[in-house]
Amino acid sequence: MISQVGRELYKVPLRVLDHRVFVNGEIEAFLDNFEVRRNDSEVEKLFQVTETIGSLKYDLSERFIALGNQNLSALGTEVNSLLCGVNNLLEKAKVERTASAQLQEARQSREQRRAEFLTNLQHGYKRIENSFEEKEEEIAELYSDLQLKLSIAK
């Protein structure tokens, strides 16, 4: 009796943490209960019911898959046709807007100011470059004069 209680206490954490052991233990306890207290005929009836449910489950799942594939393909074609209709509607609704005269004038004035700015910038770059070259030439002349005055050989 005590050893049986010990075994059952040992089985409790396994039943709680490991579902396979729990399910197997419950099935064993269920079978022991039916085999010991009731006749084997009830167990036979129970197994027949589970077999029937299992066969129905697989038959119904295949049937559901077939119906789902059939209906989903029909729904897919309907959704694609709706998408094409929406795209056509959007193309018809798309209206090209022409800019007003005021916006076009403002755009042209901005482009003109930008062009002027770029030409002024190019002109400024050239002036800086020319002045740099002039300064280089002046410095080169000053050094050559200084070398001549000091009689330094190159």
Side-chain angles (χ1 to χ4, degrees):
M1 178 78 177
I2 293 175
S3 65
Q4 199 175 24
V5 170
R7 275 188 254 137
E8 291 296 320
L9 286 176
Y10 175 74
K11 289 182 181 179
V12 169
L14 294 175
R15 287 182 183 173
V16 172
L17 298 175
D18 189 10
H19 296 294
R20 289 177 292 164
V21 174
F22 173 75
V23 170
N24 288 334
E26 289 299 315
I27 289 173
E28 287 176 14
F30 190 72
L31 287 176
D32 287 342
N33 187 19
F34 271 99
E35 286 176 356
V36 172
R37 294 187 185 162
R38 295 185 175 83
N39 293 332
D40 289 335
S41 64
E42 290 182 4
V43 173
E44 292 290 328
K45 288 179 186 176
L46 181 64
F47 281 125
Q48 288 175 354
V49 168
T50 55
E51 287 176 9
T52 306
I53 289 173
S55 66
L56 285 176
K57 175 181 152 185
Y58 292 115
D59 291 342
L60 289 178
S61 67
E62 291 173 3
R63 187 172 160 204
F64 284 146
I65 289 170
L67 287 173
N69 288 338
Q70 182 181 15
N71 291 333
L72 288 176
S73 64
L75 285 174
T77 56
E78 287 181 25
V79 166
N80 286 336
S81 67
L82 282 173
L83 181 63
C84 289
V86 167
N87 286 336
N88 290 337
L89 180 67
L90 286 175
E91 287 177 16
K92 288 179 183 176
K94 189 187 294 183
V95 176
E96 301 228 1
R97 296 183 185 174
T98 56
S100 67
Q102 186 179 9
L103 287 175
Q104 287 178 349
E105 289 173 7
R107 184 176 296 138
Q108 287 176 352
S109 68
R110 282 195 308 271
E111 288 175 1
Q112 190 176 19
R113 281 186 295 180
R114 182 176 179 268
E116 289 174 6
F117 173 76
L118 289 176
T119 55
N120 289 340
L121 189 63
Q122 291 287 342
H123 181 64
Y125 284 152
K126 284 200 179 217
R127 276 191 351 202
I128 290 172
E129 194 173 310
N130 290 339
S131 67
F132 181 74
E133 289 174 2
E134 288 175 8
K135 294 292 181 184
E136 268 186 337
E137 289 174 4
E138 287 178 11
I139 291 173
E141 286 177 14
L142 287 174
Y143 277 121
S144 65
D145 287 345
L146 186 62
Q147 285 175 351
L148 286 176
K149 287 180 185 177
L150 295 175
S151 300
I152 301 175
K154 288 186 180 178

